[in-house]
Amino acid sequence: METLWLVVLGVLTVGYFSLAGFDYGTGLLLPFRRRDETLRRMTPFFLGNEVWLVAAIGVLFAAFPRLEGELLSGAHSVFTLVLAGLVLFMAAVQLRLWSWLVFTGALMVSVGWGLFLAHLLHAPWPVALVMPVLFAVHGWVFQTRQWKLFPLTALLCALPIPLAFSSIDVTGLMAHTNTLGLLAWVAIPIIPLVVLLQWSIVAISSR
Amino acid sequence: MSAADLARLQFATTTSFHFLFVLLTLGLVSLLVIMQTRYTLTRAPVHERMTRFWGRIYVINYALGIVTGIVMEFQFGLNWSGLATYAGDVFGAPLAMETLIAFFLESTFLGLWIFGWGRMNRWLHLALLYLTALTAFASAFWIMAANGFLQHPVGYRLDGNVLRLDDFSALLTNPTFTAALTHVVFASLTVGGVFLTGVSAYHFIKRTPEVDFFRRSLRMGVITTALATPTLMGAGFAQFPVIAEYQPGKSEAAPWIGAPLGFMILIGMTLATVSWFTLPLLIKDAVIRMRFPLYLMVIGIPLPFTAAIFGWMFREIGRQPWLVYGLLRTEDAVSHVDASQILLSLIVFTSLFVLLACVDWALIARAVRRGPDVAPAPVSPLVVTL
């Protein structure tokens, strides 16, 4: 049961970060590219990643209740940065007033995740630059339609934080099997369904 | 202010902003279900245009509301780590159900509905909207189940110094959950009804050429408000015996706590009375020709939102000093973080939420002023801003 929940959390986190590159990567490149076309390419993916983030935090809360609070409150200011960036990014993309506002939002989110990575690894702060660079590269690969490189850069965006997570020892931090068993019935069918539906969104919008 | 006070203030701010978005989302999606069902059955263009116009407002509000929800969810871990540590096994179950069954699916169904517009079988497209609405209300269901547990903890057993899940079904039959869920659902329908009425009235004030379109919308809004408010009030009053039994001290939690409760009841009664008086005036469009009620309808848009915030304040402040009633005190659940960190995030989020509410208002106002499409728009007609 414990392994199952580590896998579920891993899948959700990988889902978020592999989709995050489209959004934030595009945001980071926006001031340097043609705005309307660049945003149009991103449209089917917009908000697609945030649902994975929300699901991941929900699972973290219910399946790892003794870890969730410590992990989040232990990096309070870092998450303030990530969330502030998210709010700004979403509002800016919808408003379409100014490319630099989208850029600032995307930069805050990606530097925030970089700082969280550095925090998890107890690494010095320059490590934080890894995430914005990876997102920007992935955004560039996506925008310039280099499909051969695409899976590689998606994976590079997806892996750092879940891998850094794996250094945490979760013994004693997980919920009781009563809670885990109940939630397993929900999580296992839903995740493949969402993957299928999100794939349909992309397929149907590119028709 | 202490870390606990700041964290409470931040939670109240985040919840209130989030609640505003949620109410409109739930209200509009229910009315969209009716509009699109009528379109699918009759294939009349006016129903399609109604679905598109109100659907666009719904999508704008949904997309901006999501971020307030994300902040909301992170806040449990950021500021209230004591809650997860102590009660995460029980409280976390409905919360995770919400993220997985409801929100995760809801957003995905909605995405498919947006991008599938005009590109798939119309029955399948309608089914997607039904699924979106169903999962949206499932979201309200699980959140209220989680909140009901905080008001009156059930279905747990104490294991050392943490709570364990003992009987999940007890969470779903919790009396502080069931009556409140009905109340919230009908509050959102009232918000939808009042919103449709007010926006349509605005267009009549502006002498819209789209008479048939907004006449239908206005009637739908008034009828929805008239039908929703009696149940809304009934489910509200039905909670008093529950409160008397499980939270006898609720009205004494703060000296001024009666005020928001009183204002909420006043607004509810006003909306019910006015909407029932308006019903006969719908005959031969009397209410539109009289014109002055139209101004009242526009002014009335914020009323159900305000009432909902007041009701929420009574429910949540009335629970104090407990976070989990009788088990965990609010001050004991605060994370071990510096008050200055919470203050920083409070300032950052409050200003961003004000910005977000303004953006939401500006984008909705733009979509409202633009009115329904005359010619079908290219790509997806629902994503006005993307």
Side-chain angles (χ1 to χ4, degrees):
Chain A
M1 196 56 96
E2 264 124 47
T3 327
L4 170 81
W5 283 99
L6 286 171
V7 172
V8 168
L9 187 63
V11 168
L12 293 172
T13 325
V14 165
Y16 168 65
F17 283 104
S18 61
L19 291 170
F22 296 116
D23 275 24
Y24 311 138
T26 299
L28 289 170
L29 299 175
L30 196 62
F32 317 105
R33 298 184 62 89
R34 279 170 42 206
R35 193 183 69 176
D36 290 349
E37 191 191 350
T38 310
L39 280 179
R40 189 169 45 75
R41 283 185 179 159
M42 186 186 86
T43 303
F45 302 95
F46 184 64
L47 291 178
N49 57 22
E50 276 80 9
V51 300
W52 290 85
L53 178 64
V54 170
I57 301 296
V59 162
L60 191 63
F61 191 102
F64 304 84
R66 258 65 66 189
L67 172 65
E68 194 254 4
E70 297 312 310
L71 196 65
L72 265 57
S73 64
H76 200 280
S77 301
V78 170
F79 281 108
T80 304
L81 180 67
V82 169
L83 294 172
L86 263 179
V87 176
L88 197 64
F89 180 75
M90 306 274 247
V93 170
Q94 302 244 340
L95 263 180
R96 308 185 88 173
L97 275 181
W98 198 33
S99 297
W100 286 100
L101 209 60
V102 179
F103 173 84
T104 310
L107 188 69
M108 284 162 75
V109 180
S110 44
V111 168
W113 284 123
L115 287 170
F116 183 60
L117 181 69
H119 169 82
L120 284 176
L121 297 173
H122 307 287
W125 67 265
V127 173
L129 297 175
V130 169
M131 295 312 289
V133 169
L134 286 177
F135 284 155
V137 169
H138 187 54
W140 180 76
V141 166
F142 169 65
Q143 287 288 344
T144 54
R145 301 292 199 240
Q146 307 200 39
W147 300 126
K148 272 188 193 152
L149 283 172
F150 188 78
L152 177 72
T153 51
L155 208 63
L156 282 174
C157 288
L159 289 182
I161 289 185
L163 282 182
F165 255 140
S166 62
S167 65
I168 299 172
D169 179 18
V170 295
T171 341
L173 302 176
M174 292 189 72
H176 192 265
T177 37
N178 286 358
T179 309
L180 297 178
L182 175 78
L183 289 174
W185 289 100
V186 176
I188 293 166
I190 294 249
I191 294 170
L193 182 62
V194 169
V195 172
L196 182 75
L197 289 169
Q198 286 204 335
W199 178 82
S200 315
I201 294 176
V202 175
I204 206 160
S205 59
S206 55
R207 240 178 32 203
Chain B
M1 279 174 111
S2 68
D5 293 333
L6 289 166
R8 277 188 64 193
L9 188 59
Q10 181 168 7
F11 200 86
T13 315
T14 315
T15 320
S16 303
F17 274 105
H18 182 58
F19 202 30
L20 297 177
F21 287 94
V22 168
L23 285 165
L24 190 59
T25 295
L26 289 173
L28 282 179
V29 80
S30 319
L31 297 171
L32 280 170
V33 160
I34 300 174
M35 293 173 195
Q36 196 177 353
T37 306
R38 292 176 79 177
Y39 164 60
T40 311
L41 290 171
T42 64
R43 308 200 83 163
V46 67
H47 295 305
E48 188 198 5
R49 294 176 71 224
M50 276 173 76
T51 313
R52 195 188 290 161
F53 174 74
W54 297 106
R56 183 181 290 159
I57 294 172
Y58 161 70
V59 169
I60 294 170
N61 185 64
Y62 188 89
L64 290 170
I66 281 186
V67 277
T68 59
I70 298 178
V71 175
M72 190 70 233
E73 195 194 20
F74 268 86
Q75 217 175 147
F76 287 116
L78 288 173
N79 292 349
W80 302 101
S81 60
L83 174 64
T85 307
Y86 178 70
D89 280 48
V90 192
F91 178 74
L95 208 64
M97 293 280 192
E98 193 274 335
T99 57
L100 290 169
I101 303 184
F103 175 72
F104 204 27
L105 278 178
E106 179 195 359
S107 302
T108 316
F109 286 138
L110 176 62
L112 207 49
W113 184 73
I114 293 171
F115 292 104
W117 189 280
R119 295 180 192 193
M120 55 168 71
N121 176 291
R122 64 199 168 101
W123 291 99
L124 184 62
H125 193 242
L126 178 67
L128 282 171
L129 185 64
Y130 272 84
L131 288 168
T132 309
L134 195 73
T135 42
F137 281 102
S139 198
F141 178 91
W142 293 114
I143 291 300
M144 292 309 292
N147 183 269
F149 173 79
L150 300 183
Q151 306 289 342
H152 171 54
V154 288
Y156 69 90
R157 67 166 190 279
L158 200 60
D159 175 11
N161 52 359
V162 296
L163 302 185
R164 300 290 189 199
L165 183 64
D166 202 36
D167 178 12
F168 187 63
S169 61
L171 262 69
L172 305 183
T173 50
N174 189 347
T176 54
F177 157 55
T178 43
L181 176 68
T182 319
H183 191 56
V184 165
V185 165
F186 281 85
S188 71
L189 294 176
T190 307
V191 164
V194 172
F195 184 79
L196 232 68
T197 312
V199 169
S200 309
Y202 166 82
H203 276 273
F204 280 117
I205 292 171
K206 295 277 166 196
R207 311 251 178 218
T208 174
E210 295 280 353
V211 176
D212 181 49
F213 184 100
F214 285 111
R215 188 176 153 272
R216 286 172 183 276
S217 302
L218 187 132
R219 295 172 82 96
M220 195 171 173
V222 173
I223 294 171
T224 307
T225 313
L227 291 180
T229 39
T231 316
L232 167 70
M233 290 197 297
F237 288 122
Q239 289 178 74
F240 283 118
V242 178
I243 292 171
E245 187 171 352
Y246 299 109
Q247 294 187 343
K250 197 160 190 128
S251 308
E252 284 93 53
W256 45 271
I257 196 71
L261 179 70
F263 280 124
M264 175 189 71
I265 295 174
L266 197 66
I267 294 174
M269 287 180 161
T270 309
L271 290 174
T273 317
V274 171
S275 59
W276 279 93
F277 271 118
T278 314
L279 280 183
L281 295 176
L282 292 177
I283 299 165
K284 294 190 176 167
D285 299 331
V287 75
I288 300 169
R289 283 184 281 113
M290 283 158 73
R291 287 194 73 81
F292 83 87
L294 298 174
Y295 292 90
L296 296 181
M297 289 168 173
V298 176
I299 297 169
I301 295 178
L303 286 182
F305 290 99
T306 317
I309 299 296
F310 281 149
W312 195 243
M313 280 169 71
F314 177 71
R315 186 172 170 91
E316 294 298 276
I317 295 169
R319 193 187 59 217
Q320 301 305 324
W322 300 101
L323 205 172
V324 183
Y325 202 78
L327 291 175
L328 178 68
R329 297 178 80 89
T330 308
E331 59 197 282
D332 298 331
V334 185
S335 305
H336 300 287
V337 285
D338 224 43
S340 63
Q341 279 179 299
I342 302 184
L343 181 65
L344 174 73
S345 64
L346 173 67
I347 295 169
V348 169
F349 289 132
T350 309
S351 29
L352 282 172
F353 284 165
V354 171
L355 174 82
L356 205 62
C358 293
V359 170
D360 194 44
W361 185 79
L363 290 174
I364 289 178
R366 193 170 75 185
V368 165
R369 272 198 306 274
R370 201 201 255 179
D373 290 333
V374 182
V379 204
S380 174
L382 293 161
V383 191
V384 65
T385 49
L386 291 174

